[in-house]
Amino acid sequence: MQPDIKTFIIYEDPHIIVCHKPAGMPVQSARIGTADMVSLLKNHLASSARNTGASKPPYLAVIHRLDQPVEGLLVFAKSPAAARDLNRQLTSSGFSKYYRATVVGVPDPAEGTLEDYMVKDGRTNTSRICTKETHGAKLARLHYRTEKICEDSKPVTSLVKIKLDTGRHHQIRVQMAHLGCPLAGDRKYGRIFADSPDTGSLIHKNNSTALKLCAYRLEFRHPANGKEMTFKIR
């Protein structure tokens, strides 16, 4: 049974749709029978168009993405003009994405900006830190701040808030792992520390949980009227 997309929509007007994507659902999938945000939204728009007597197929553009295990806020464009403006904001200024993450360990320093070069491997669907000279390398930058240290957990974890300045593939997961604090539940990038006698077994134990990452806040200017839009989930 397909989920009801209306339970995920938190704002809609003639130009945009803002949704709360649940963890585990892909933004877009080529798998037949797999529920994804794009398919559900297109069905929603098609149903609305039929109710109003519209004849044209609905338009929907993906502006940014979240990894399948990640929950959080997404904005989609309902017209080419809205898509152009939101994409312009995404690549220049005015579009801000904030995340909450639980990481293994305690970041040192407690607050900082991470700047690295990253390269994606399409064959393995992974990314890694590399040098600036590496073929295909792209700058990745984020700012993090430690909000809380959970010393009672085993292993010790920290709640971190993150603002992305760039949107690279698996960026938060790769950069926080490179810092020495992989995301809790990250089976893919937590394992780069598996050979460490101090942290390896603990990270594997922690990987039994879901990936602890949520895109909790989204800011941009409305593509039609320029109004500042802010959306936030708990």
Side-chain angles (χ1 to χ4, degrees):
M1 183 177 178
Q2 294 283 353
D4 183 1
I5 188 62
K6 292 181 181 179
T7 63
F8 305 143
I9 296 174
I10 60 176
Y11 176 84
E12 181 177 7
D13 66 25
H15 310 279
I16 60 174
I17 301 180
V18 178
C19 294
H20 179 178
K21 184 188 89 67
M25 180 179 288
V27 174
Q28 200 166 16
S29 175
R31 287 188 176 185
I32 297 175
T34 299
D36 64 85
M37 294 298 295
V38 169
S39 298
L40 293 173
L41 285 171
K42 284 185 175 180
N43 289 339
H44 162 73
L45 293 175
S47 176
S48 299
R50 286 193 297 270
N51 292 337
T52 59
S55 58
K56 290 185 178 181
Y59 178 92
L60 184 74
V62 177
I63 304 302
H64 59 121
R65 297 175 183 270
L66 294 174
D67 297 340
Q68 185 168 336
V70 180
E71 76 162 301
L73 294 166
L74 290 165
V75 59
F76 298 84
K78 294 173 63 175
S79 71
R84 285 192 298 271
D85 188 82
L86 288 172
N87 278 312
R88 177 192 58 77
Q89 293 183 54
L90 187 65
T91 56
S92 56
S93 62
F95 200 107
S96 298
K97 296 177 285 184
Y98 300 84
Y99 293 75
R100 281 192 306 262
T102 300
V103 302
V104 179
V106 180
D108 184 19
E111 181 174 359
T113 297
L114 302 181
E115 285 195 2
D116 300 289
Y117 281 89
M118 291 176 52
V119 64
K120 179 181 177 181
D121 186 340
R123 296 171 300 173
T124 60
N125 190 37
T126 59
S127 292
R128 61 180 174 86
I129 302 296
C130 63
T131 65
K132 183 178 180 179
E133 291 74 26
T134 301
H135 178 71
K138 294 182 178 180
L139 178 66
R141 183 174 57 247
L142 62 78
H143 182 84
Y144 72 89
R145 183 177 72 249
T146 305
E147 296 287 315
K148 181 181 179 182
I149 299 173
C150 306
E151 296 182 350
D152 293 336
S153 63
K154 296 183 179 180
V156 172
T157 59
S158 301
L159 177 64
V160 178
K161 288 189 176 181
I162 296 167
K163 180 181 183 295
L164 273 184
D165 291 332
T166 57
R168 308 306 177 202
H169 178 255
H170 292 174
Q171 179 179 337
I172 293 174
R173 298 165 67 181
V174 172
Q175 288 193 285
M176 293 308 295
H178 187 67
L179 181 66
C181 295
L183 269 61
D186 196 340
R187 295 177 177 272
K188 184 170 288 187
Y189 297 104
R191 291 183 178 183
I192 66 173
F193 292 96
D195 293 332
S196 167
D198 297 324
T199 62
S201 61
L202 295 178
I203 290 173
H204 278 297
K205 180 180 179 181
N206 203 62
N207 277 339
S208 62
T209 63
L211 183 69
K212 302 298 185 181
L213 183 62
C214 174
Y216 77 97
R217 185 182 178 104
L218 186 63
E219 298 174 353
F220 57 88
R221 291 188 178 276
H222 194 281
N225 57 32
K227 179 183 176 181
E228 291 185 0
M229 309 288 285
T230 299
F231 298 92
K232 188 175 181 179
I233 56 176
R234 291 193 174 189

